[in-house]
Amino acid sequence: MRKQKKGAWWMMVCLVTVLVVGCGAKQETAQQGTSGKKDKIVIGAALPDFDDKWLSYLQDGMKQYEKTQENVEVIYVDAMNDASKQLSQVENFIQQKVDAIVLIPVDTTSAPNLVEKANQANLPIVVVNRQYDGVEAATAYVGSESIKAGLMEMEEVAKLLGGKGNIAIMNGQMGHEAQIKRTEGNKQVIEKYPDMKVVLEGTGEWDRAKGMALMENWLQSGKKIDAVVSNNDEMAIGAIMALEAAGKLKDVVVAGVDATPDALEYVKAGKLQVTVFQNATGQGQGGLEVAIKAAKGEKVEKFNWIPYELVTKANVDEYVKKWQ
C-alpha cells in the first residue's frame, strides 16, 4: 500500500511540474510575442495635416504600400499643423515602443528635436518630404530636392515669356523648406534674365482660397503682372480663379508645383501653363518602405531622392494616367 501511495504521490508531483513548466513556457512565448520577437511590425506615421490635399495623396501612397506588406501595421496621427501636438504624438509613439517612425514635420524648426527624441530611444525615424539643415541626424530622408522644382518651374516660365516680364511669386507657408527652396530656385533663374524682375511676392500658405485672396489683392494694386509663379498648385489654382473672374487670365502665365489631379485638369484646359510633378505616392511608398527596412535592422540609404518632372500641356495626359 505504501509503495502504491508513494508511486501515486510522485506521479502527482511530476504532473504538477509538467503543467507549471508548460505554462511557464507558454507565458514566456506570449511575452516574446509582445515585447521580444513581435508578430507584427508597427510603424508610427506622424503627419502634419490630414486636410492638406497633396499630403493626402502621400498618405494614400503609404496605405497602398502597407496593403502589400504582411504583418505590418501603420498608426497614422494628425498634428493639425501644430508642432507641440506633433511632439506629443512622437513621444507617444516612443512610449508605445513602435518599431519605427515616419515623420513629415509640421515645421523644420521643431523637426530636429523630434528626431533627437527618437534617436535617444534608439528608434529608427525616417523623415519624408520636408528637408532641413541637419536632417542627416535621422535614420533616412525620403523626398525630392525642392530647389529643383523652383528651377524647372521658372525656366519654363522664362521660356514662355521670352526671357522678359514682371513676375509675382506666391510663397507657401513661410519657413517651410519647400517654400524657401522653391522660391530660391525661382529667383536664381530670374537673376539670369536682365529683363525679368519680381514685382510682387506674398504668401498663400499652400491654400487655394488664400491664393485667390492674394491674387485679388495684387490685381487691385494695379501693377502689371506677366506671370504668377506659385510654390504649389493649390495657390496657383486660386490665382487662376481670381484672374478668370477679373477677365485677365489670358494675359498672365500661371505656374505651380505638384501636378495634382486638379491641377492637371487646369493644364489640359490651358489655364495652368506649367506645373512640376512631385510624386506624392512615390514619396509615401518610399518613406514607409525605408521605415520597414530600418525596423527590421536592414541597412538603408541616408538620402532617397524621388525626382521632379516638368508637366505642360504637351505631356499632361501622361501624368493624368499616373493618378488613375
Side-chain angles (χ1 to χ4, degrees), residues 31-312:
Q31 287 173 345
Q32 284 178 349
T34 56
S35 63
K37 294 180 180 177
K38 293 203 276 189
D39 295 331
K40 186 182 287 186
I41 290 173
V42 180
I43 308 292
L47 308 183
D49 183 10
F50 281 5
D51 291 332
D52 183 288
K53 196 154 205 172
W54 189 85
L55 289 175
S56 72
Y57 299 132
L58 189 151
Q59 187 177 1
D60 287 345
M62 292 182 70
K63 288 179 176 178
Q64 288 169 20
Y65 188 75
E66 181 186 357
K67 287 176 183 176
T68 69
Q69 302 300 298
E70 288 185 12
N71 301 320
V72 171
E73 177 188 357
V74 183
I75 303 168
Y76 301 91
V77 292
D78 180 4
M80 300 179 182
N81 272 326
D82 183 334
S84 60
K85 186 179 182 73
Q86 189 167 62
L87 170 61
S88 175
Q89 290 168 338
V90 168
E91 288 175 337
N92 285 340
F93 282 149
I94 292 168
Q95 288 171 3
Q96 291 167 20
K97 296 185 177 178
V98 298
D99 297 291
I101 294 173
V102 173
L103 171 68
I104 303 175
V106 166
D107 59 58
T108 53
T109 305
S110 61
N113 183 39
L114 303 181
V115 170
E116 177 61 22
K117 285 188 176 292
N119 287 342
Q120 287 174 353
N122 292 318
L123 185 63
I125 182 163
V126 178
V127 177
V128 176
N129 182 251
R130 294 179 179 175
Q131 195 181 358
Y132 58 90
D133 289 338
V135 73
E136 61 272 9
T139 307
Y141 173 76
V142 178
S144 304
E145 292 185 86
S146 293
I147 195 166
K148 289 189 176 179
L151 292 167
M152 293 169 73
E153 176 188 31
M154 196 65 227
E155 284 286 10
E156 186 64 18
V157 170
K159 181 178 161 187
L160 291 170
L161 292 179
K164 58 185 179 181
N166 291 345
I167 311 300
I169 295 178
M170 279 196 177
N171 287 298
Q173 193 138 4
M174 302 305 288
H176 279 197
E177 181 270 343
Q179 174 270 317
I180 295 166
K181 292 296 183 181
R182 289 176 190 175
T183 300
E184 183 183 329
N186 292 159
K187 291 180 176 179
Q188 280 185 18
V189 174
I190 292 167
E191 284 172 7
K192 297 193 301 183
Y193 295 89
D195 295 327
M196 195 176 284
K197 63 181 178 178
V198 178
V199 293
L200 290 161
E201 186 172 356
T203 179
E205 298 182 352
W206 308 120
D207 184 77
R208 185 181 299 195
K210 289 178 181 177
M212 183 177 179
L214 180 60
M215 189 70 239
E216 287 169 346
N217 289 337
W218 285 349
L219 288 168
Q220 288 170 11
S221 75
K223 289 190 178 179
K224 185 176 186 303
I225 301 169
D226 296 300
V228 175
V229 181
S230 172
N231 284 173
N232 82 336
D233 286 336
E234 281 298 290
M235 295 186 297
I237 291 170
I240 288 167
M241 292 167 74
L243 285 163
E244 206 164 23
K248 295 186 176 181
L249 183 58
K250 66 181 185 304
D251 302 320
V252 182
V253 170
V254 183
V257 176
D258 288 336
T260 62
D262 282 359
L264 295 177
E265 291 303 314
Y266 280 87
V267 174
K268 286 187 76 169
K271 297 177 181 180
L272 180 66
Q273 282 81 7
V274 183
T275 186
V276 183
F277 180 61
Q278 183 183 196
N279 193 338
T281 304
Q283 288 191 23
Q285 291 176 350
L288 183 55
E289 180 181 7
V290 171
I292 292 168
K293 285 180 178 178
K296 292 177 178 177
E298 296 177 19
K299 186 178 179 182
V300 296
E301 293 290 331
K302 182 65 73 173
F303 289 95
N304 303 266
W305 299 114
I306 311 294
Y308 281 108
E309 301 167 42
L310 185 69
V311 182
T312 65

